[in-house]
Amino acid sequence: MLVFGHVSHCLTLCDMMDDTEMDVSGNSSLGDAVSGRGQQSVSNEGDDLYYIPERRPSLDLGPGLMDTSHWHYVDQALSPALSYMSLASAESSVKMDDFTRVKLDRTDSYSSLYSFDSDDCEKRIPKVKRRDDIVSELSDTPEPIQTTNEFRHPSLTVRFVFKAISNTLWKLSGENLKRFKLMLWKHYPQSFNAPSQSMDVVDLVDRLLECYSLEVSLQITKTLLEKIGQNKMVDYLHTLCIRNEVRSDLSETLKRTYMEVCEDLAMQDERKPFDNVFTNLYITSPCDNGPNIEHEVMTIEKLDSNREAGKLLYTKDILSAERLERANIKFVLITGVAGSGKSMAVRRLVLDWIEERSHQHVSFLFPLPFRELKQFKDSKVSLLEIIQTLYPETKKLRDEDYRCEDCKIMFVFDGLDEYNGKLDFENTELLGDHTDPTTLNIIVVNLLRGRLFYRGLFLVTSRPQVKRCIPWDMHYDEMEVRGFCDPEKDEYFKKRFKDPDQAAQVIAYINSLKTLRIMCHLPLFCSLIADECHRIFREQGARAELPRSITYMYTKLVLALTRQHRTFRAPNRSPDEERDFLMKLGKLAFKMLEQGQFKITRSDWKDIGINEEEAVINSGLCTQYTTKPYILIHEKVFSFIHPTMQEYLAALYVFLSFINQGKNIFEQQLKDKFKGMFKGQKTMELYKSAVDRSLSCEDGKLDIFLRFLFGMALKTNLELLQPFCTSSVKWPTVIADAAALIRKRMRENNYSGRSINLQLCLVELGVLESEAETS
C-alpha cells in the first residue's frame, strides 16, 4: 500500500504537468523581491530541458521492480535560497555567500523523482546527459570569475549589487533587455530553468543573487552585456562599483573625524561619541531674526529685525532633495552668533549622510573646513588636489565623476569667518576647471561665485557676515542657527552627565538662576557650565555644592571667545591689546546701557575706535543682523550677542577702570586730567555709587550690571581677570564691606520691589546661598 500511494502521487503530478503550463508573472516589484517571493514555475517549452514520463496504460504492482527503462530524467530543482534582502540586515554577521553561492562547475545532478526500488524512496538516480547537451553547455556558457577567498571590499553588499545591476538593466532598450534575458537563460539553464523573457528586471536580479555570489553576479552581468555589444553599460556598471568603493572609504574617513567630539576644553584627550552629546538645534529660515533678547529683568522690544517667526528646520532639510526640486537652490549660507552650534550642525549633517539617514541623493559629501584649507594658503594647487589631499580615497574617481549629472557632490565649507583672504568678486581671476592649479583665494572666490562645479551643492557656515561674503547676484538660500530651545537645554545636560542624579542637580542649578537658564540657549555656554560642574564633582564629590554666581560663567565665556576661539580667525593679541579692546567695547556697552540702547550704529564704532570685524567676527562678542525699518529698506545693524553680555562688558569696564586707573565712572565730576588724584579712594565708594545708581533706575536696566560688578570681587573671578589688571589685586575686606552695604540698603527699604535684586547681589558675593534659594 505504501508503494502504491507513492506511484499514484507521481503519476498525478505528471498529469498536471502535461495538462497545465505554469506561468511566471511579469508584474514584479522591488517590494516583492525583498519579501523573497517568486517560487517560479516550470514551463513545458524546450523538450530538451524537461522530460515528462509517458503515461502507462496500466500499473503492474507485482513483486518485481518497476520498469523504468522508458523514463527520462529532469534536473533536480535547486535548493531554495534565502531571500537576498532578508539577509541585508545581517550582512555584518552572516556572509551572503554561505546561502546563495552556487558552484558553476557542478557535476552530475540528480532527478527530482524517486526510484521505487525500495520502500523508503530515498535513492536518487543520476541523470544521463546526451553528448550534444554537454557540448552545447560547455561551448555556450561564459566563464565568470570563480569565487575565491580573496578580500572583498566592504562596500560590496547585497543591497548595492542588487541596485547596481537593476539600474544597469533598466537603462537597456527593450530589445537589448530581451537579448540579455535570452543569453542569461541560454548560458545558465541550471539557474534559470524557465524562460526568463517573462521575468521583469527585479525578478531577474533576484534570481541571479539567489544562485551566485555577489562578485560572480556582477561578472556574469558584465560578460553578457559585452556579448550583446553593450560596452557602455559595462562601463556604467564598473563606474557604479568604483563610486561605491570610494563612498565607503570616504565614509570611514569621515567617521573617524566626526563620530567623536571633545566637549570638555580642559580635557582635550577625553572624546565622546557624537550622539551622546548632540542635541537638536533651533535652525530657522528665513533668518535675520536678530539676537536673543529674552531677559530676566527687562522687557526688550524686538530690535527692528524680522518680526515674523522663522520656520523651524532640521539639518536633514538643508539642501534636501525636496528643497532642491522645489526651489532649485544649490547654495546655502548658514549663519549664527559665536557658540550657537553651527559646527555641530555640520557634524550632524555629515554623520546623517554617512549613516544614510538623510541626503541620499548626494553621491559624495566633502567637508572642507576653512581651518583645514589654510594649509594650502601659500602654494599653487587645484581644487581637485585639495580634495585628494584631504581625502586620498577619492583618487580612484575619474574626471567624469565630478562632471556628470547623476553624481551629486556636496561641499561643506565650515567657518567662512575663519578665512582672512580677500573676497573680491569683481576683480578676481575667473576659474572654471577644478583641475587647474591656482591660489587658494582664487579657488574660494570662484566657489562662492558659483564658477566651479556648477552641478555641485554648496553649504557654507559663518558668523554673521560683516562684509559681503556672497556675491549680490548669487542665487542662494540663508538659514540661521539659534542654539537651543528650552527642552533641548535640559536634554543637553542629561547627555553630558552619565549619572542621572548629577544631571538633575545641574539642571536644578541652572533653573534656579534665570539668567543662566536664558543664556544656555548658546551650546557653548552650556558646554562651559557642564565642564565646570564636572570639575567640581571630580574634586569635591558627587554631592558638592555648585557655585551660585553667574559672573564666573560669563567671565569664562568671554575668555573662551576672545582667546581659544579667536585664534582661528586672527593673530594672537598681546595682553595689553586684549585689555584695551575689552575696555573700549565695555565703554560702549556702559554708555548704551545707561541710555537704554541695544543697537550699535556704525558711528558708534568710529567713536570708540574699534573695528566692527574684530568685535563681530574675530571675538564674537557682537553680532550683525538686518533690520527693516521701512518698506523696501534694509539696514545692517549690530548688537551684542545678548543683552546680558552687554551688561557684563559694561561692568567689566567699570571694574577695570577702578582697578587699573582708580577711576570711579559714576562720579560725574571726575575728569580724566585729574584721575591721578583719585587713585587712593576707597573701593566701597565705587560700590556705594553703583548701588545708588542702580536703585534709581525704575526699569531695572542696571540690575544685572550690578550683580556682575559685585561678582567680580570674588577671588575666583579675580584670578580669571588677573591678566587684565595692571597690578595684583588684594581686597581682603571688600566682600564683608559690600555685603554690609547691601544689607543696609535693604533695611532702608527706600526702593520698593528692589530687594530681590539686592539679595541676588549678595549671592554673587557668596554670602547668601540659603536666602537666594528661598527667593
Side-chain angles (χ1 to χ4, degrees), residues 408-690:
K408 287 290 184 185
I409 299 178
M410 180 187 289
F411 297 91
V412 181
F413 298 94
D414 186 22
L416 179 60
D417 50 283
E418 297 182 20
Y419 180 70
N420 52 17
K422 185 178 180 181
L423 300 179
D424 186 350
F425 298 109
E426 295 180 359
N427 302 313
T428 301
E429 172 189 342
L430 296 181
L431 181 69
D433 195 331
H434 62 278
T435 63
D436 291 343
T438 184
T439 63
L440 177 63
N441 189 69
I442 292 177
I443 291 176
V444 171
V445 170
N446 279 274
L447 281 170
L448 298 177
R449 196 75 177 84
R451 299 288 184 184
L452 282 173
F453 290 117
Y454 63 92
R455 287 192 178 94
L457 305 176
F458 299 91
L459 172 64
V460 177
T461 71
S462 173
R463 289 180 179 178
Q465 49 182 323
V466 174
K467 298 179 181 178
R468 183 165 53 90
C469 64
I470 305 295
W472 65 270
D473 57 345
M474 181 73 175
H475 186 49
Y476 70 100
D477 197 5
E478 195 167 355
M479 300 178 184
E480 183 179 9
V481 179
R482 297 185 63 82
F484 291 150
C485 297
D486 274 343
E488 284 69 35
K489 297 174 185 177
D490 294 344
E491 184 65 24
Y492 175 84
F493 290 108
K494 290 177 182 177
K495 288 188 174 184
R496 281 294 306 268
F497 293 87
K498 295 180 181 179
D499 186 343
D501 293 335
Q502 289 184 2
Q505 185 179 352
V506 173
I507 292 173
Y509 159 66
I510 297 298
N511 292 337
S512 66
L513 300 168
K514 190 173 181 180
T515 294
L516 283 190
R517 176 74 180 182
I518 293 172
M519 200 61 179
C520 278
H521 75 280
L522 291 179
L524 175 60
F525 195 73
C526 290
S527 176
L528 294 173
I529 291 178
D531 294 348
E532 183 64 20
C533 292
H534 271 301
R535 183 189 64 81
I536 293 174
F537 288 143
R538 285 195 304 267
E539 296 176 357
Q540 304 179 23
R543 297 186 178 181
E545 288 292 328
L546 299 176
R548 308 289 302 173
S549 171
I550 64 174
T551 310
Y552 181 74
M553 295 313 307
Y554 272 77
T555 302
K556 296 204 73 170
L557 176 62
V558 169
L559 293 178
L561 291 176
T562 58
R563 290 184 177 178
Q564 293 102 320
H565 291 245
R566 184 187 181 279
T567 56
F568 299 121
R569 296 163 178 82
N572 290 331
R573 288 182 299 202
S574 67
D576 291 341
E577 291 173 331
E578 189 175 27
R579 180 175 61 251
D580 182 61
F581 168 76
L582 290 176
M583 287 293 289
K584 290 180 179 179
L585 196 58
K587 181 179 181 179
L588 174 63
F590 181 75
K591 174 185 174 183
M592 292 172 54
L593 190 60
E594 282 201 314
Q595 298 173 353
Q597 178 184 343
F598 296 95
K599 292 192 301 183
I600 305 174
T601 63
R602 292 190 179 274
S603 60
D604 291 328
W605 295 123
K606 296 179 180 179
D607 292 341
I608 62 174
I610 285 183
N611 184 344
E612 58 197 36
E613 185 173 355
E614 177 63 38
V616 176
I617 299 298
N618 295 342
S619 296
L621 297 174
C622 299
T623 185
Q624 173 185 310
Y625 58 97
T626 302
T627 63
K628 302 174 183 178
Y630 307 103
I631 298 176
L632 300 179
I633 294 180
H634 295 67
E635 181 184 359
K636 298 286 186 181
V637 296
F638 303 87
S639 74
F640 293 89
I641 59 174
H642 192 265
T644 54
M645 179 56 72
Q646 177 178 337
E647 292 163 317
Y648 175 86
L649 291 173
L652 183 64
Y653 163 69
V654 172
F655 182 77
L656 292 180
S657 295
F658 183 85
I659 294 297
N660 295 334
Q661 304 171 8
K663 180 176 16 178
N664 185 347
I665 298 299
F666 294 101
E667 296 294 337
Q668 296 295 330
Q669 70 274 17
L670 186 64
K671 303 292 184 179
D672 287 343
K673 62 182 179 178
F674 299 123
K675 63 184 178 181
M677 299 171 55
F678 297 92
K679 286 209 172 186
Q681 63 180 331
K682 296 180 180 180
T683 305
M684 289 313 302
E685 293 180 3
L686 170 68
Y687 282 108
K688 180 180 179 297
S689 55

Side-chain angles (χ1 to χ4, degrees), residues 684 713 731-743 762 765 767:
M684 289 313 302
W731 289 1
T733 62
V734 70
I735 301 298
D737 293 342
L741 172 65
I742 293 173
R743 290 190 176 100
L762 290 176
L765 290 171
V767 298

